[in-house]
Amino acid sequence: SIEELALWGVSQSKLSSIAKLKKLQKLSLRGCELLTNKCIKTLLNYCGVVHELDLSECNITDAELKKIASIPSLSTLALDGCRRVTDKGILQLLSCYRLQNLSIARVHVSDGPLVSLVHQQKTLLQSLSLSGCGSISNVLVTTISHYCSKLKVLNISGVSAIDDSSLAYIAMNCKYLEFLDISETQVSNVSLAILGNNVGTLRELYLDDCKNIGNEELTCLYPMTKLECLSLQHNHSITQYGIIQLVTRVPSLRRLNVSLCSQLSDVSVMKAKSLNTSLDIEYHFKPKIRSKSFTFQ
């Protein structure tokens, strides 16, 4: 009667019992690097009713993806860090007609197969993580904005080629976003201004290590009345004034990370904290020394 199962670092000999779980709907084998391709293929034969599958950090290939794509009930799939998966494997997912949530962070994939998948799934897609997929471009992100208008979660962090030419369309068309990570992109106040005025549902926003983010860009966030979590790590143009104004103008904030912002100090952070006692602010300025890390609660 087990419906959910998560295994870490499990060996091949321990998987035979999974075949007996006829009602299994959620299965995570994240980090099971010792599993052979043959073993995973055999296991997938018993996943006919699985809705959610996490094979992140496993040694799967395009061949296993063909088998995964044949699971008729699959709606959520995570393949983060599966570095042997290629464009050919992602194309296999075109057979997953019920796919709503896809995470392929750090997978070597290009625009082509993902554009095809977006065209097919359209508004069915609710969550998409492409973090660290360095070969994707503004073409894909623009396509996502036009076809996935009901998207709630989007992570395209770590893709430095992404800029306002596509992010502005995300801000205009994806009005139901609740989580957005555009860290290490070329985002600027152009798309942030649209985002602030157009996406009233946003609760979590990550802008770590964005070279164009400073005090002026933070003013674009003032209209975000539901924003609860904001990360601004490693942005060197943000000053105490910008943080003070942000905390004052966005009272909904509950978590703020300003670690490695070189123009801030622990005094700056405590001043900001004094303006909103319910706000947790994380700040550290020397990443390799834990004793220099503070959390104000």
Side-chain angles (χ1 to χ4, degrees):
S1 60
I2 295 177
E3 295 184 357
E4 299 183 27
L5 182 63
L7 302 171
W8 289 272
V10 70
S11 63
Q12 185 169 331
S13 60
K14 302 292 185 181
L15 290 178
S16 58
S17 58
I18 295 181
K20 301 175 183 178
L21 304 177
K22 305 299 183 182
K23 296 183 179 181
L24 191 62
Q25 295 184 18
K26 299 181 181 180
L27 175 62
S28 175
L29 297 175
R30 176 180 285 266
C32 295
E33 298 179 349
L34 299 178
L35 296 180
T36 65
N37 295 14
K38 182 178 179 180
C39 181
I40 293 176
K41 280 186 178 180
T42 301
L43 174 64
L44 291 172
N45 287 328
Y46 303 100
C47 294
V49 296
V50 166
H51 292 254
E52 300 181 16
L53 181 61
D54 187 349
L55 292 174
S56 299
E57 313 297 340
C58 291
N59 290 316
I60 67 169
T61 66
D62 296 339
E64 285 73 59
L65 274 183
K66 184 176 182 179
K67 190 70 176 179
I68 291 169
S70 68
I71 301 174
S73 56
L74 191 64
S75 61
T76 297
L77 178 62
L79 301 170
D80 299 341
C82 294
R83 299 186 180 277
R84 299 176 67 190
V85 171
T86 70
D87 284 355
K88 183 179 179 180
I90 298 300
L91 280 172
Q92 301 288 349
L93 299 181
L94 290 172
S95 300
C96 296
Y97 296 106
R98 297 186 180 184
L99 194 63
Q100 298 179 24
N101 310 295
L102 177 64
S103 184
I104 54 171
R106 305 180 307 284
V107 171
H108 299 301
V109 62
S110 61
D111 284 354
L114 288 170
V115 167
S116 298
L117 187 63
V118 166
H119 280 161
Q120 176 179 282
Q121 300 305 107
K122 297 178 181 173
T123 56
L124 189 63
L125 277 178
Q126 295 185 12
S127 175
L128 186 58
S129 175
L130 305 171
S131 176
C133 295
S135 296
I136 66 172
S137 73
N138 287 303
V139 173
L140 173 62
V141 177
T142 302
T143 303
I144 291 170
S145 73
H146 289 312
Y147 286 87
C148 305
S149 58
K150 295 186 178 180
L151 204 63
K152 294 181 179 180
V153 175
L154 178 62
N155 186 342
I156 47 176
S157 61
V159 186
S160 59
I162 303 302
D163 57 30
D164 289 325
S165 65
S166 61
L167 292 174
Y169 287 109
I170 291 290
M172 284 188 284
N173 299 331
C174 299
K175 298 182 179 182
Y176 301 101
L177 278 175
E178 297 178 6
F179 176 104
L180 179 62
D181 191 340
I182 46 178
S183 301
E184 299 178 69
T185 67
Q186 299 299 316
V187 61
S188 77
N189 57 357
V190 174
S191 50
L192 284 181
I194 301 172
L195 189 71
N197 289 309
N198 207 46
V199 184
T201 54
L202 199 62
R203 296 182 181 276
E204 295 188 44
L205 177 61
Y206 295 81
L207 298 169
D208 300 334
D209 200 9
C210 292
K211 307 304 181 185
N212 301 321
I213 299 298
N215 291 347
E216 180 181 351
E217 285 68 32
L218 294 185
T219 64
C220 300
L221 310 183
Y222 294 172
M224 296 184 179
T225 57
K226 293 187 177 181
L227 189 64
E228 297 177 355
C229 176
L230 175 63
S231 187
L232 299 168
Q233 296 184 75
H234 213 269
N235 288 314
H236 302 297
S237 297
I238 295 175
T239 68
Q240 176 178 304
Y241 175 81
I243 293 300
I244 294 295
Q245 292 299 310
L246 175 71
V247 171
T248 303
R249 299 292 293 272
V250 189
S252 60
L253 272 180
R254 293 296 175 265
R255 288 181 292 153
L256 175 63
N257 194 334
V258 289
S259 298
L260 303 175
C261 292
S262 58
Q263 296 201 53
L264 299 180
S265 66
D266 53 332
V267 174
S268 305
V269 175
M270 285 189 286
K271 285 183 178 180
K273 171 63 180 173
S274 68
L275 299 173
N276 184 346
T277 56
S278 61
L279 176 62
D280 292 340
I281 304 181
E282 183 175 349
Y283 167 72
H284 59 80
F285 52 91
K286 296 213 176 172
K288 294 183 180 180
I289 304 176
R290 291 186 179 275
S291 61
K292 294 295 184 180
S293 178
F294 308 92
T295 299
F296 297 88
Q297 299 180 347

